[in-house]
Amino acid sequence: MTEPLMATYKRLPVAFARGEGVWLWDTEGRRYLDALSGIAVCGLGHAHPAVRDALCEQAGLLVHTSNLYRITEQERLGAMLTEMSGMDRVFFGNSGAEANEAAIKIARLHAHRRGVENPAILVAENSFHGRTLATLSATGNRKVQAGFEPLVQGFVRVPYDDVEAIETAAANRSNIVAVLVEPIQGEGGIRIPAPDYGQRLRELCDRHGWLLICDEIQTGMGRTGRWFGHEHGGAAPDVVTLAKGLANGVPIGACLARGAAAEVFGPGAHGSTFGGNPLVCRAARAVLETIVAEDLIANAAEQGTYLLEGFRTALSDVPGVVEVRGQGLMLGIELDRPCADLVVQALEAGLLINVTADRVIRLLPPLILARAEADRLLVGLTALVKRWLSDA
């Protein structure tokens, strides 16, 4: 039989049949602790009753109408998001890539209306902003760009967490109009910038009249122990993009903007057929309400600190462990060698993890993670890392 799916993923030899909380069961009935949550998507875990009930109720009422009409659920979700983020307006798409595409278009249109020709956006090395052609071009990873040239022009790349490099770029180019940056680099290896990075970026953007765009696709919705990752740095961006954790697995992306950036788009400037339909907006509203009701942001901060300290203690004297770092429930364990094999070994041990940047174990467990589950992750992964390093 011909394989029906395009070979865009290197899949692991497992298929899941159901989930509950932080646990998944495969088609053979074996249970796994999900420390990846669909890559930061299922913050409420699997089959959360609030999301299930919201989806069932909304599916029985109305799934989709065109954005040619008012959508009440979209307006409700938009009001919640703008209030909690301090932004003025929101555009809804279907994914993080769509959210970042909207942000890039806002920056360009804003620049053109100010008379800037060939506007350029500063982006960071080792960043990840998506796989559409524009977001792929903005991404600072040559591996994901290779073979797709010519890339979209208009991006200037500088090292992450290096404000002096941005100053140099600004001194040599007059067409820079915005900075697009992740508060913490996820795909780049859980890279956490200096505490004053965000404020220094804000000062630079204010001085030059640039927009500050924060890609919160992975860091948003409580993942880092705050609603948004940029809050740790205390600098308010002009544009924020969201997706992964916003609707707990129902496809959605959101681009929020404030001030002049919020007034850039008018009718016809941008759009999305499915973006912000009643079903997904009702699911996202249920997620936001549950995060508040169950105090999950505080739990992410508490369990994240517990895991960070636990892994640092357990792995401090282990040869081959370079660093343990993280913020909230966004954690990375960097080894001194490529460690993709660990993902398969963890799977065999009943643990779902991920490796990024070749040698960083990435942990993104659900925000509902309880202490006993954190202990299970801590003990199980520590033993696995020690054994793998001793055998490697």
Side-chain angles (χ1 to χ4, degrees):
M1 176 179 173
T2 302
E3 171 58 60
L5 304 178
M6 289 191 183
T8 52
Y9 301 96
K10 187 177 180 181
R11 300 179 193 271
L12 292 162
V14 64
F16 296 107
R18 66 184 181 91
E20 182 178 342
V22 303
W23 301 97
L24 282 168
W25 282 261
D26 68 17
T27 51
E28 305 299 318
R30 188 168 181 230
R31 192 176 75 156
Y32 301 80
L33 175 60
D34 186 0
L36 191 59
S37 57
I39 311 184
V41 169
C42 300
L44 303 189
H46 302 283
H48 194 289
V51 179
R52 178 200 62 205
D53 293 348
L55 285 170
C56 290
E57 179 186 351
Q58 189 61 47
L61 294 172
L62 186 66
V63 172
H64 176 80
T65 61
S66 170
N67 275 298
L68 291 172
Y69 312 105
R70 289 183 59 187
I71 298 174
T72 303
E73 279 299 334
Q74 192 177 115
E75 292 172 356
R76 287 173 177 162
L77 177 61
M80 293 176 74
L81 285 172
T82 52
E83 181 179 0
M84 68 173 55
S85 66
M87 296 283 129
D88 295 324
R89 292 187 173 183
V90 58
F91 168 82
F92 289 111
N94 304 293
S95 66
E98 270 196 63
N100 281 337
E101 286 273 353
I104 291 167
K105 289 180 70 174
I106 286 174
R108 287 193 172 192
L109 196 53
H110 181 252
H112 281 298
R113 288 176 179 169
R114 296 169 60 210
V116 180
E117 296 184 0
N118 299 315
I121 299 173
L122 279 169
V123 293
E125 294 175 358
N126 299 316
S127 60
F128 185 84
H129 299 296
R131 293 184 186 274
T132 62
L133 199 52
T135 57
L136 181 79
S137 302
T139 289
N141 184 336
R142 183 60 192 148
K143 283 185 180 178
V144 302
Q145 296 173 335
F148 296 106
E149 299 84 356
L151 301 177
V152 174
Q153 301 298 303
F155 298 101
V156 177
R157 196 154 289 108
V158 295
Y160 187 60
D161 195 18
D162 189 340
V163 176
E164 283 69 30
I166 297 177
E167 295 269 24
T168 300
N172 291 297
R173 305 179 70 110
S174 60
N175 62 336
I176 295 170
V177 298
V179 176
L180 169 60
V181 67
E182 297 160 278
I184 297 173
Q185 286 191 334
E187 295 290 332
I190 315 295
R191 299 287 176 186
I192 301 171
D196 65 346
Y197 185 51
Q199 290 185 347
R200 295 184 70 187
L201 286 180
R202 181 71 268 173
E203 291 167 4
L204 267 174
C205 288
D206 289 343
R207 192 192 321 154
H208 293 288
W210 303 340
L211 297 180
L212 177 56
I213 304 170
C214 279
D215 178 342
E216 298 260 11
I217 306 299
Q218 194 164 138
T219 53
M221 313 322 300
R223 171 59 54 188
T224 68
R226 301 280 184 90
W227 273 116
F228 308 104
H230 72 262
E231 292 180 77
H232 293 285
D238 301 291
V239 180
V240 172
T241 56
L242 303 170
K244 288 180 179 296
L246 183 51
N248 215 61
V250 184
I252 188 172
C255 177
L256 296 108
R258 69 182 176 94
E263 306 303 322
V264 170
F265 282 163
H270 199 46
S272 173
T273 296
F274 299 105
N277 75 26
L279 186 72
V280 67
C281 287
R282 182 66 190 91
R285 194 155 62 84
V287 169
L288 299 183
E289 290 167 348
T290 303
I291 289 175
V292 172
E294 298 185 5
D295 203 15
L296 295 180
I297 294 179
N299 188 62
E302 180 183 344
Q303 302 305 335
T305 299
Y306 178 75
L307 284 171
L308 185 66
E309 294 175 350
F311 279 120
R312 282 176 172 169
T313 300
L315 299 172
S316 61
D317 298 325
V318 177
V321 177
V322 176
E323 185 181 22
V324 179
R325 52 182 178 262
Q327 189 92 61
L329 286 174
M330 187 174 183
L331 301 161
I333 302 171
E334 182 173 353
L335 306 185
D336 65 355
R337 66 204 76 171
C339 56
D341 291 352
L342 262 170
V343 175
V344 178
Q345 293 189 19
L347 183 70
E348 292 169 351
L351 184 60
L352 303 184
I353 63 169
N354 172 243
V355 166
T356 188
D358 291 330
R359 58 183 193 175
V360 179
I361 302 166
R362 179 170 52 171
L363 303 176
L364 300 162
L367 308 186
I368 60 171
L369 188 76
R371 180 56 55 88
E373 295 155 349
D375 280 330
R376 186 156 181 157
L377 172 61
L378 181 58
V379 172
L381 185 57
T382 296
L384 188 67
V385 169
K386 287 181 176 179
R387 185 169 61 248
W388 185 83
L389 284 169
S390 66
D391 293 341

